[in-house]
Amino acid sequence: TNVYNLKHISKSYNDKTVLDIDNLTIRRGEILGLVGPSGAGKSTLLRILNFIEHTDTGKINFLDKTYTKNKLPDLDIRRKVTTVFQRPYLMTSSVYQNIIYPLKIRNQSYDHEVDEIIEKLGLTQLKHKRADKLSGGEAQRVALARALVFKPEVILLDEPTSNLDPANVKIIEDMIEDYRTKLNATIVIVTHNVFQAKRLATKVSLLYKGKLIEVNDKKDFFINP
Ligand code: ADP
Ligand code: ADP
């Protein structure tokens, strides 16, 4: 089943086209690895997939409904998607309060799974620390925890391991893979690291100057498969 289908979408900033995609389909249970040089439009595409940014032209089919810049999804639909930003926006409250915030606003209860996620991400000792006092890598882990706790259908990850040491990279990659497997969730991961794309992605797309090049067979993408 398709989760997203984007048709002829474009986005310009100050008359400069930064994104121009004819067709992009993202299926349920897929991990789409999005690679490409800096400035290619990867973050812009993630913002569009999260309906934070709106396209100038084109249509986005999301969970069987079609949206355009004049017809945006309601909040309850937008909340099925979450983005883990490279430099996450955290509230000045504690790590724990940040992590449970998405559950609170959705009136979802929280249980042992929240603590399991906190534990797995090595955040137990930091639970009561103010989230604005964290290092970049700690903040990324908190942002991932905050995304995983409410079980979104779609998680968009923008360079989620860029500030992490190898041990934490492994933990996060395993958690992303587990999450996808258990919930048949849909994941898009922007990464500069082609090895990470190779490890995690079920499909890889290259974004170059706003244009998408889909790599049919992941193996074709890597010189040294
Ligand atoms: P990537 O994530 O691949 O590095 P981005 O999506 O961040 O690329 O940016 C694509 C292009 O759009 C870049 O040229 C960038 O400078 C420009 N851009 C991104 N956001 C804005 C904005 N809010 N206003 C103006 N230009 C922007
Ligand atoms: P504060 O900013 O007030 O220090 P905390 O994040 O420490 O906030 O805790 C907020 C509330 O959540 C407190 O009542 C605390 O006891 C409770 N709490 C903290 N961790 C857990 C947990 N794992 N399970 C349930 N409640 C918790």
Side-chain angles (χ1 to χ4, degrees):
T1 21
N2 291 350
V3 174
Y4 287 97
N5 180 249
L6 280 60
K7 277 263 188 301
H8 306 296
I9 61 137
S10 67
K11 179 74 193 171
S12 299
Y13 293 116
N14 314 315
D15 293 329
K16 183 178 173 278
T17 302
V18 300
L19 210 57
D20 180 10
I21 295 177
D22 280 346
N23 192 3
L24 170 63
T25 299
I26 306 174
R27 293 183 183 82
R28 190 176 303 282
E30 194 160 73
I31 301 185
L32 172 64
L34 206 55
V35 297
S38 187
K42 302 182 298 295
S43 301
T44 304
L45 178 55
L46 288 194
R47 290 197 300 274
I48 286 170
L49 293 173
N50 206 162
F51 304 101
I52 297 166
E53 189 95 71
H54 311 310
T55 59
D56 300 328
T57 65
K59 290 179 186 176
I60 299 179
N61 190 279
F62 176 64
L63 299 172
D64 298 323
K65 294 218 165 54
T66 302
Y67 304 101
T68 64
K69 68 171 176 181
N70 297 317
K71 185 179 180 290
L72 298 168
D74 297 337
L75 184 61
D76 60 320
I77 301 292
R78 293 200 308 266
R79 280 187 176 164
K80 293 179 188 293
V81 187
T82 195
T83 303
V84 177
F85 294 98
Q86 189 175 4
R87 275 177 228 86
Y89 308 100
L90 299 175
M91 300 179 292
T92 54
S93 54
S94 69
V95 163
Y96 187 74
Q97 288 300 327
N98 270 270
I99 291 170
I100 64 172
Y101 180 74
L103 295 169
K104 282 189 168 173
I105 60 171
R106 290 171 177 78
N107 291 314
Q108 287 181 28
S109 61
Y110 39 103
D111 50 24
H112 64 279
E113 274 188 85
V114 174
D115 283 331
E116 272 172 31
I117 290 168
I118 290 172
E119 180 71 42
K120 272 192 196 159
L121 285 170
L123 295 170
T124 306
Q125 307 305 318
L126 298 174
K127 250 162 75 173
H128 302 290
K129 192 168 172 173
R130 269 182 61 170
D132 56 338
K133 307 274 189 231
L134 301 175
S135 72
E138 289 167 349
Q140 278 188 323
R141 285 182 284 142
V142 171
L144 182 66
R146 188 175 59 178
L148 295 175
V149 290
F150 74 95
K151 303 188 176 69
E153 290 188 36
V154 180
I155 303 185
L156 309 172
L157 302 151
D158 200 347
E159 297 274 355
T161 60
S162 57
N163 296 312
L164 299 176
D165 54 89
N168 274 310
V169 171
K170 168 87 173 110
I171 290 169
I172 286 198
E173 288 182 355
D174 288 349
M175 285 182 84
I176 292 168
E177 177 57 39
D178 275 5
Y179 185 81
R180 174 190 78 111
T181 312
K182 285 197 187 115
L183 281 92
N184 199 22
T186 306
I187 310 232
V188 180
I189 177 168
V190 164
T191 178
H192 275 108
N193 184 335
V194 290
F195 299 105
Q196 180 164 63
K198 185 184 177 184
R199 283 195 297 270
L200 273 181
T202 56
K203 187 172 98 177
V204 177
S205 286
L206 171 68
L207 204 58
Y208 186 71
K209 294 185 177 172
K211 300 267 190 192
L212 200 65
I213 301 156
E214 219 169 283
V215 181
N216 285 323
D217 186 341
K218 193 167 87 163
K219 288 197 290 298
D220 295 346
F221 186 72
F222 303 99
I223 300 159
N224 223 334

